[in-house]
Amino acid sequence: MSELWNESDAGVLRLPSGRLVRGRGLRHALDPGAPRPSYGVYLLDRPPPQVPWASAWIRWPDFRLPSDRAAARAVLADAWERSAGERVELACGGGRGRTGTALACLAVLEGVPGEEAVAYVRRYYHRGAVETPWQRRYVRRFGEG
């Protein structure tokens, strides 16, 4: 088990249970002094860059939804499980739309109602998180499936 994130680390969201997950935009260089994740989930339309930690890729075009929603749900559920004892990061290109949507899905897994999860992530992660109407709808329906 790795040391967990600090709430003061950039981009770290505290979920209602107290679990900490970092959201990040891959277009921005990782600060050399920033803690490294032990597990990363990369939300991109093409394979992610190689990283020296365990990772998963969800094929997810920018401003859209995951190409395979069942696979995305399984990867996000695994990330949520891992976040209890590992440093987990979710990342897309800019760190807002897809990352915010995935973070909101983790909030739903925590028990936040789907109708409230986007507001939760916008309040505690980034006010511009979850960019499109279909991403908001995806989060609302994530709890149903």
Side-chain angles (χ1 to χ4, degrees):
M1 178 166 88
S2 66
E3 184 179 324
L4 299 177
W5 300 115
N6 289 313
E7 231 176 322
S8 61
D9 292 331
V12 171
L13 171 69
R14 177 178 287 279
L15 293 167
S17 67
R19 293 175 191 218
L20 301 173
V21 179
R22 181 171 72 187
R24 184 163 76 92
L26 295 173
R27 286 193 288 260
H28 312 289
L30 187 59
D31 178 354
R36 300 298 189 246
S38 54
Y39 182 69
V41 176
Y42 301 102
L43 318 159
L44 301 165
D45 59 352
R46 63 179 72 81
Q50 293 290 327
V51 292
W53 47 82
S55 66
W57 169 42
I58 297 174
R59 184 182 296 270
W60 194 328
D62 202 6
F63 299 106
R64 304 257 188 255
L65 298 175
S67 299
D68 182 337
R69 296 194 190 141
R73 183 177 189 76
V75 169
L76 292 174
D78 180 53
W80 178 78
E81 289 286 338
R82 288 172 176 257
S83 71
E86 297 181 49
R87 279 193 303 253
V88 172
E89 83 168 358
L90 304 178
C92 64
R96 302 291 178 256
R98 293 169 285 183
T99 297
T101 302
L103 288 169
C105 290
L106 294 190
V108 169
L109 291 173
E110 286 265 313
V112 175
E115 304 79 37
E116 299 171 22
V118 171
Y120 182 89
V121 170
R122 286 179 174 169
R123 180 173 184 189
Y124 296 110
Y125 171 66
H126 190 279
R127 64 186 172 150
V130 190
E131 297 171 319
T132 68
W134 39 92
Q135 289 172 339
R136 289 191 297 275
R137 186 172 50 245
Y138 178 72
V139 171
R140 277 195 316 271
R141 293 179 177 169
F142 192 80
E144 301 167 5

